[in-house]
Amino acid sequence: MKKNTSFDLKNIDLDLSAELFTLANGLTVVIHSKPAASVVAVNMTYKVGSKDEPKNKTGIAHLCEHLMFGGTEALPGSYLENMLNNGAIDVNGVTSRDRTNYYQTVLPGMLDYVLFAESDRMSYFGQHLTSDLLERQRSVVLNEKDERDGEPLGRLSERRSLATFPAFHPYSHTVIGEKSHLESITLDELKAWFNTYYVPSNAILTLAGDVDSQQIRDKISTYFGSIASGKPLLRPAIDYPLISIGKRETLEARVAQSALHLTWNLPPASEKCTTEFLVLSSLLTMGNDAYLHKKLVIEAELASQVSAYVEQGLLCSQFTITAVARTGVTLTQLENGLLDAIEELKNQNIDSDALEKTRARSLTDFIWGAENMTGIADMFGWFTFMNGSPNTYKNFFDVLFGVTDKSLLAIARDWLNENRFTMYVVPFSPGSTNALRSAAPAVPAILPPAKMKIPSGRTSILSNGMKLSHIQYSSVPGTLIRIIIPHGTAGNPANKEGLTALTCRVLVSEADDGNLIKSLGKIGASFTIENGFDSTIITLKTLSICFDQALGYLSEQLLSAPLSEKEFKRIQGKSLQNIASQLSSHSGLIQFLLPEFVYPDGHPYRRYNHGQGTPESLSGISYEDVVAERNLLIQRPGIKIVAVTDLTIETIQHSIEESLSDWISLHQNKQDYSSLNIPESLNGRALLIHKPGSIQTTVVAANLIPPLEEGTHASYTMLARIFSSSFNSQLNLRLREELNWTYGVQGSTTSDSGIRMHVIKTTVQKDKTLETIKEIQHAYDQLLAAGPIAEEELKTRLVSEQLRLIANGTDSLQLLNNLTYIEKNNLPVDYWSDYYDSLSILKPENLHEVAEQFFKPHKTHWIIVGDINNIESALKLHLPAETTLVNADEIIKGE
């Protein structure tokens, strides 16, 4: 195995330059110039969050964030729609305890438009707040709160906030707020909130990407310089109170397994010890060789999984350890075991290899993240907000490379004490200044982009017959390699459903008696395995400086490393527990049942849980089955390799030939499901799942559609985006923005090579269940009767799609996904350029033809999950004749 022994983490250049300046009105500006990015991320942070709310108006910060996506006189309508229709990507807003921030990533030709839009809503939005807008967004936020609270652990955050902070503390309530407070917030109170906090002196504007530093200074001054500063604000004080000794609660929740949560209060994010806890949390729980994983999961067998994280705050941070109890283990036993392990930790040395692995992982994650301008802009904005300077991100790496086992043990001794909050989560059973600029500038024109440019790719055939497709791209000094195996979960025998998925989970697990994955971690490399119905995809992510090492470790793990029988049994047990947890939520029930319910009898895709396995099938899989499946999986015919890297194809091919020379395909029957058709006789069905006590209902409508064809790909993609699969889709705008019944509609299409599923999913107010079904049925009817869209609107959507494709073409992972799509579907190498060009000639009638071909309302399958009491009869009147009612408990118990 070829090894690169010169790899040294400290020799890797981390420098990301950022300029900081302040306008006369107090607006803080951060600029990171990277012309090679080809896009610009614009991030606006307002230094206000739920910590600043009056105690009787909790949730006002988050509600204001929603309202900010309304329009102004200059840009009427939805801010989100204006951005998306003009080609922006990554558009959203987030409210936390400490800040509210808004972000969008665009092509350079749209930058003036975005700067104008951000300055326009900072200047004028308060004037355009209306009662109608408030009531519509209030309903959306209340639906969001109901949806969160309805999740199995939906109330956990609220209970933790109340228990870990005194009543007067700014963090003692949740960001989303109390329902009664949200219902009572007035228009005048929101205008006062906006006028107080949405001002230049309380804002940080961060730009990252393809910008010229001097030119952008002038633009920012033009758009923001004349906005009035705002008044001085009173800020909450830093306060990290000790939690009372013995503070504990028990939360009953609709979960499958009991869990233990321990929380300690820490100093603010700016303090060194809190940064050290970021390192410690990774050492404790990341990977099978992590300290608490070995102690609780492997050795004592008290927990099925354990995790730890730091929630960083401006006033106070928190460190939480969560452990899920194994079947038959009490939470008292688990708590005692966890506390004993923590006490042992304080009196022993930390594994130096584990510390090096944590350093390598953190560093490589940062390097790969530097390619994403959206994330970089947010990072610089965050550190400017927290510490006053964007370049204080380097403090983390100073700590990462300066921390020692002694310093980590010191913070464990100092902070992991009795001043903690203990939460038992147990399964629930029913038996238990004010001046504004005088005039706004005109809305800037959006400059047309250059034609889509995809880095040229090359192909080669390896000596073992595998095809290699390669794109040389140097945005970061890294390499992404993906191995596409044409075998997936649909190829498993009926009595061994989940065999492929279980085998892959064992392959990526760090067994006690193996060190190959640990060796990967020590050089900052990692690999994942994903399963579809007809493919298994292995992805290696590594810095190019240690590519040879990483590929050598990966090939040995895949081809020859012994599989641990002990680890197999642990993964098998954890998989069974994961299914039990999955079935406790609406979304999990739907994911488990959908393909088995929708696909016709005899079809290979008709499998529970997308072929990931059922409790019965997984329990019947033996260690010998997994060993045999591994050997067959890696010898399938038709394996392909794709790579996006800063290395040449010659370098990549030489390394692959050296590491994978023994990888030879055997002659086996090749899976091909693309020729199977949707039976004409297949009609729609409905499944009503009664889940007592649900405060909302989840509605799913699914249609089987034909396999991918080049001739209809662009038409179908645009049809799906317009109808259901984007924020500004017709269904989302209708159910969320107009009717205010839901927090959102999600539309998706499966990507396997055979018959696909188009799925519409939304969670709505319980009393709007029937009306939602009628609205979706009406939307299908309108889609087929009137056509999906008018020609002028289609032109706008097509330009937006082309801009999105251009912007996504600057990301290594997206380029890898594009290559994967081509190779999985046997498409020509220039497919995406042709696809881009085909968008320009699409007409409404093309979309209408696809709609008529793909969507048959009488063939729609429905799954409805919620409290069905008192509405079953009404629902059946509007659903297919074959409608079945089942209790959620029966599914969970496997009856």
Side-chain angles (χ1 to χ4, degrees):
M1 184 189 305
K2 186 177 180 180
K3 298 282 183 76
N4 182 343
T5 57
S6 63
F7 176 61
D8 187 345
L9 294 173
K10 293 183 180 179
N11 291 334
I12 296 177
D13 183 14
L14 281 176
D15 188 40
L16 291 177
S17 59
E19 299 179 44
L20 175 71
F21 65 93
T22 305
L23 298 187
N25 60 8
L27 178 67
T28 300
V29 182
V30 179
I31 299 174
H32 168 64
S33 179
K34 186 178 180 181
S38 301
V39 294
V40 184
V42 180
N43 186 301
M44 179 68 81
T45 293
Y46 291 97
K47 294 181 277 188
V48 60
S50 64
K51 72 180 188 311
D52 303 286
E53 296 168 341
K55 286 301 177 185
N56 63 342
K57 298 296 176 186
T58 62
I60 191 172
H62 177 245
L63 178 57
C64 189
E65 176 223 312
H66 275 255
L67 290 165
M68 279 286 281
F69 288 99
T72 63
E73 184 178 350
L75 293 173
S78 164
Y79 184 96
L80 266 170
E81 285 187 77
N82 283 324
M83 288 294 150
L84 293 170
N85 287 342
N86 285 296
I89 57 175
D90 288 330
V91 186
N92 213 332
V94 178
T95 305
S96 69
R97 287 169 168 171
D98 297 316
R99 65 172 183 158
T100 307
N101 90 300
Y102 304 86
Y103 57 89
Q104 50 261 301
T105 299
V106 299
L107 293 172
M110 193 179 168
L111 180 56
D112 278 84
Y113 182 86
V114 173
L115 293 176
F116 169 83
E118 285 289 10
S119 66
D120 184 57
R121 62 178 176 174
M122 181 188 283
S123 298
Y124 295 110
F125 182 73
Q127 299 177 14
H128 296 278
L129 273 174
T130 64
S131 296
D132 176 65
L133 177 61
L134 170 57
E135 294 311 317
R136 283 191 285 114
Q137 290 306 315
R138 194 199 310 269
S139 294
V140 171
V141 170
L142 287 170
N143 279 317
E144 179 183 0
K145 179 173 175 58
D146 284 345
E147 188 170 327
R148 289 186 186 181
D149 289 350
E151 290 297 312
L153 295 177
R155 305 304 295 270
L156 180 60
S157 175
E158 177 186 19
R159 300 309 308 166
R160 181 186 289 131
S161 295
L162 289 170
T164 55
F165 297 107
F168 59 82
H169 196 283
Y171 287 176
S172 63
H173 60 272
T174 61
V175 171
I176 202 164
E178 292 294 323
K179 186 171 185 178
S180 60
H181 296 174
L182 290 168
E183 291 172 335
S184 68
I185 294 170
T186 67
L187 187 64
D188 286 341
E189 287 168 337
L190 277 160
K191 287 183 176 181
W193 183 269
F194 174 83
N195 292 330
T196 300
Y197 295 108
Y198 280 69
V199 292
S201 57
N202 198 47
I204 302 166
L205 174 64
T206 306
L207 288 84
D210 188 7
V211 293
D212 178 271
S213 178
Q214 186 54 51
Q215 288 181 1
I216 200 61
R217 283 174 177 255
D218 297 338
K219 288 180 186 291
I220 290 169
S221 295
T222 297
Y223 292 115
F224 291 91
S226 61
I227 304 175
S229 171
K231 297 179 180 179
L233 297 173
L234 182 65
R235 308 285 186 185
I238 290 174
D239 185 8
Y240 44 101
L242 291 176
I243 298 170
S244 301
I245 294 175
K247 197 69 174 285
R248 57 197 306 123
E249 282 187 18
T250 297
L251 175 67
E252 289 188 337
R254 298 180 185 276
V255 295
Q257 287 90 29
S258 298
L260 169 69
H261 300 253
L262 301 183
T263 298
W264 291 264
N265 285 348
L266 299 177
S270 56
E271 296 292 327
K272 180 182 177 182
C273 78
T274 301
T275 305
E276 289 175 329
F277 260 99
L278 293 172
V279 180
L280 182 62
S281 66
S282 181
L283 280 168
L284 290 178
T285 61
M286 288 290 287
N288 279 14
D289 61 339
Y291 175 77
L292 286 180
H293 184 91
K294 286 195 293 187
K295 285 288 185 180
L296 299 178
V297 178
I298 304 297
E299 296 173 6
E301 297 186 345
L302 293 172
S304 61
Q305 59 191 71
V306 60
S307 61
Y309 64 92
V310 178
E311 184 175 0
Q312 300 180 82
L314 185 68
L315 310 182
C316 175
S317 300
Q318 290 188 317
F319 177 65
T320 298
I321 300 174
T322 299
V324 178
R326 282 198 183 217
T327 303
V329 174
T330 69
L331 287 180
T332 301
Q333 292 172 319
L334 179 57
E335 181 182 2
N336 290 337
L338 175 53
L339 293 176
D340 287 345
I342 291 172
E343 289 307 309
E344 288 179 28
L345 172 72
K346 296 175 182 179
N347 298 294
Q348 65 181 42
N349 293 326
I350 288 177
D351 187 313
S352 59
D353 283 349
L355 183 54
E356 286 307 307
K357 179 180 174 182
T358 297
R359 288 182 172 129
R361 182 193 299 117
S362 299
L363 180 65
T364 52
D365 285 349
F366 179 82
I367 291 172
W368 279 104
E371 184 180 44
N372 183 294
M373 291 300 103
T374 302
I376 288 298
D378 188 62
M379 181 195 75
F380 280 131
W382 163 260
F383 280 101
T384 304
F385 170 65
M386 282 289 175
N387 304 322
S389 168
N391 294 319
T392 53
Y393 77 89
K394 296 177 183 178
N395 294 352
F396 172 77
F397 292 99
D398 291 339
V399 171
L400 180 69
F401 289 112
V403 74
T404 65
D405 59 343
K406 292 181 180 179
S407 60
L408 291 174
L409 292 176
I411 62 168
R413 295 187 191 106
D414 290 344
W415 292 96
L416 301 185
N417 50 35
E418 293 180 308
N419 298 106
R420 61 179 176 267
F421 170 58
T422 303
M423 170 73 86
Y424 281 9
V425 178
V426 298
F428 167 78
S429 59
S432 72
T433 47
N434 306 309
L436 296 174
R437 54 181 160 176
S438 56
V443 179
I446 297 174
L447 303 177
K451 188 179 183 299
M452 180 180 181
K453 294 180 180 178
I454 298 177
S456 58
R458 295 175 61 188
T459 62
S460 180
I461 303 298
L462 304 177
S463 60
N464 61 7
M466 295 179 188
K467 180 181 178 182
L468 168 66
S469 297
H470 168 278
I471 288 179
Q472 188 168 359
Y473 187 63
S474 57
S475 178
V476 296
T479 295
L480 292 171
I481 290 281
R482 182 167 283 171
I483 301 168
I484 306 168
I485 301 174
H487 170 77
T489 58
N492 295 153
N495 65 336
K496 301 288 183 183
E497 276 193 19
L499 175 58
T500 299
L502 182 60
T503 301
C504 292
R505 286 195 286 272
V506 174
L507 275 172
V508 299
S509 177
E510 299 175 27
D512 257 2
D513 51 1
N515 60 8
L516 291 169
I517 297 179
K518 296 177 187 177
S519 298
L520 275 170
K522 287 171 67 175
I523 58 174
S526 61
F527 80 100
T528 59
I529 306 182
E530 299 172 278
N531 304 110
F533 277 131
D534 46 26
S535 65
T536 294
I537 293 179
I538 303 167
T539 304
L540 173 67
K541 183 178 182 180
T542 179
L543 298 180
S544 295
I545 193 173
C546 47
F547 170 63
D548 285 346
Q549 283 177 282
L551 187 64
Y553 291 140
L554 175 66
S555 64
E556 189 174 342
Q557 177 70 10
L558 295 177
L559 298 175
S560 59
L563 300 181
S564 163
E565 185 170 6
K566 179 181 177 182
E567 186 66 3
F568 155 73
K569 290 179 179 177
R570 187 187 72 81
I571 295 294
Q572 185 181 44
K574 183 178 178 182
S575 298
L576 292 170
Q577 284 200 326
N578 287 345
I579 292 177
S581 296
Q582 175 186 358
L583 295 178
S584 65
S585 69
H586 288 204
S587 294
L589 281 165
I590 290 163
Q591 180 186 16
F592 185 83
L593 296 170
L594 191 62
E596 196 280 336
F597 183 68
V598 174
Y599 281 97
D601 287 336
H603 195 282
Y605 294 173
R606 183 168 184 166
R607 292 171 184 265
Y608 288 106
N609 217 17
H610 294 266
Q612 298 293 309
T614 67
E616 182 180 7
S617 67
L618 289 173
S619 298
I621 295 172
S622 67
Y623 170 72
E624 290 74 21
D625 291 332
V626 166
V627 172
E629 177 69 5
R630 191 272 288 269
N631 294 334
L632 289 174
L633 182 68
I634 61 176
Q635 295 174 331
R636 294 279 172 180
I639 294 174
K640 298 178 180 179
I641 301 175
V642 296
V644 175
T645 173
D646 61 334
L647 302 174
T648 65
I649 190 171
E650 289 79 14
T651 301
I652 291 291
Q653 182 165 348
H654 175 78
S655 296
I656 293 175
E657 295 280 14
E658 189 169 282
S659 292
L660 304 182
S661 58
D662 295 333
W663 194 333
I664 306 222
S665 299
L666 298 179
H667 292 291
Q668 305 177 49
N669 292 327
K670 189 175 179 180
Q671 298 174 345
D672 183 8
Y673 308 126
S674 60
S675 61
L676 299 176
N677 297 317
I678 304 170
E680 285 295 326
S681 59
L682 182 69
N683 288 316
R685 299 184 296 152
L687 181 64
L688 307 180
I689 303 176
H690 179 48
K691 207 168 188 299
S694 298
I695 59 177
Q696 289 190 305
T697 304
T698 301
V699 177
V700 168
N703 279 273
L704 294 179
I705 62 174
L708 170 75
E709 292 182 2
E710 287 186 59
T712 58
H713 184 194
S715 298
Y716 173 73
T717 298
M718 292 309 304
L719 174 69
R721 288 191 185 281
I722 291 165
F723 182 52
S724 63
S725 62
S726 62
F727 175 85
N728 54 345
S729 69
Q730 294 168 348
L731 271 171
N732 191 61
L733 293 179
R734 175 63 176 161
L735 293 177
R736 171 182 159 133
E737 298 297 306
E738 295 178 25
L739 297 174
N740 312 132
W741 295 347
T742 177
Y743 181 54
V745 177
Q746 298 86 45
S748 61
T749 304
T750 56
S751 59
D752 299 288
S753 63
I755 298 170
R756 298 172 291 166
M757 274 194 299
H758 173 268
V759 181
I760 296 166
K761 173 173 168 270
T762 187
T763 299
V764 300
Q765 300 162 205
K766 179 181 173 181
D767 62 344
K768 298 299 181 185
T769 303
L770 178 57
E771 287 81 353
T772 298
I773 292 170
K774 291 180 180 178
E775 282 290 336
I776 294 173
Q777 290 171 334
H778 179 69
Y780 279 128
D781 292 339
Q782 288 293 106
L783 189 71
L784 298 175
I789 197 168
E791 186 162 2
E792 285 306 310
E793 187 181 353
L794 176 60
K795 288 181 181 178
T796 300
R797 295 293 192 105
L798 290 172
V799 170
S800 174
E801 177 71 3
Q802 289 178 315
L803 292 172
R804 187 188 65 81
L805 286 169
I806 294 171
N808 283 341
T810 63
D811 179 89
S812 295
L813 182 59
Q814 187 60 49
L815 290 172
L816 188 75
N817 290 339
N818 288 347
L819 262 185
T820 303
Y821 192 89
I822 286 172
E823 294 304 331
K824 271 187 65 179
N825 295 288
N826 299 309
L827 299 169
V829 68
D830 56 354
Y831 176 75
W832 287 108
S833 294
D834 293 342
Y835 174 86
Y836 176 91
D837 292 337
S838 71
L839 292 171
S840 302
I841 58 174
L842 280 184
K843 300 292 183 185
E845 50 265 33
N846 301 129
L847 275 64
H848 196 199
E849 289 171 6
V850 170
E852 290 182 320
Q853 178 186 350
F854 284 18
F855 295 118
K856 314 289 183 184
H858 69 282
K859 294 181 179 291
T860 302
H861 285 63
W862 300 83
I863 297 182
I864 318 294
V865 185
D867 193 329
I868 308 297
N869 269 349
N870 304 320
I871 60 173
E872 176 188 352
S873 298
L875 294 180
K876 286 184 174 180
L877 290 175
H878 294 273
L879 291 170
E882 188 179 344
T883 295
T884 306
L885 173 69
V886 298
N887 288 314
D889 286 346
E890 296 173 5
I891 299 170
I892 294 170
K893 295 173 183 176
E895 297 175 359

